[in-house]
Amino acid sequence: APHIVNRKATIDHTKCVGCGRCIGVCPKDAVKASMDEKGEILNCKIAEYTKAVVDGRPCFHISLVIDVSPNCDCHAENDVPIVPDIGMLCSTDMVALDQACADLVNAAEPLPNGQLARNIAKDPEGAKGQDYFHLTTPESDWKTCLAHAEKIGLGTREYDLIR
């Protein structure tokens, strides 16, 4: 049940486990992450929460690299995809899988008229060889999550891509 303060729903941080579901389901975008921590800390927490869920369990991971949006998928105001659909990837190593997905996105041709293409057009020379995720959303930092996931034993960022 929501915690009510001054007739407005709020997050009861004594009960919150940090899953973020409230952010994704709020139809009015009223719930925001507090962003009171550095992105690196959040990324480490994501890896640690993941380890808590999967540790000691057999896992098989599937990623659909389609409609790669510039913003979080949980928000309706997203722009057009930044790259063409890449397809489905799978692995027993979630870290290798995420690294492969990111590498394939960064190797793809940007789609025209999207946020990534608009940002590249502002500085075409400076954008060459850059991380598309960072070019699309400069505050994003997915690499620290994968580095920490590898460090705590969730997998490795090294992989062999088998088509």
Side-chain angles (χ1 to χ4, degrees):
H3 186 244
I4 307 296
V5 174
N6 295 330
R7 297 181 45 154
K8 291 185 180 182
T10 63
I11 298 170
D12 183 346
H13 289 283
T14 65
K15 296 178 182 174
C16 176
V17 295
C19 71
R21 288 186 68 206
C22 57
I23 296 169
V25 300
C26 180
K28 300 293 184 185
D29 242 359
V31 181
K32 305 278 186 214
S34 62
M35 300 308 250
D36 58 351
E37 293 182 340
K38 292 175 68 175
E40 295 88 4
I41 295 171
L42 176 63
N43 285 335
C44 290
K45 284 183 177 182
I46 290 169
E48 290 165 6
Y49 292 160
T50 302
K51 184 172 175 74
V53 171
V54 303
D55 207 23
R57 295 179 175 96
C59 294
F60 184 72
H61 309 277
I62 300 171
S63 288
L64 299 174
V65 188
I66 59 173
D67 294 327
V68 179
S69 58
N71 301 311
C72 179
D73 294 339
C74 62
H75 290 279
E77 78 280 353
N78 255 323
D79 198 3
V80 297
I82 61 172
V83 294
D85 290 349
I86 292 170
M88 179 170 52
L89 287 84
C90 56
S91 178
T92 55
D93 184 329
M94 72 178 78
V95 179
L97 178 63
D98 279 357
Q99 184 67 59
C101 290
D103 290 347
L104 288 169
V105 166
N106 282 325
E109 187 67 30
L111 286 173
N113 304 318
Q115 187 171 325
L116 173 62
R118 287 191 302 272
N119 290 352
I120 289 173
K122 292 175 188 173
D123 183 13
E125 287 304 310
K128 288 183 180 174
Q130 294 293 316
D131 173 13
Y132 285 174
F133 300 102
H134 185 73
L135 281 173
T136 302
T137 312
E139 65 275 7
S140 69
D141 182 18
W142 59 273
K143 293 177 184 178
T144 58
C145 186
L146 291 187
H148 191 66
E150 186 174 45
K151 180 181 174 183
I152 63 175
L154 275 173
T156 177
R157 288 181 286 174
E158 295 181 23
Y159 62 89
D160 291 320
L161 186 63
I162 301 168
R163 295 185 183 267

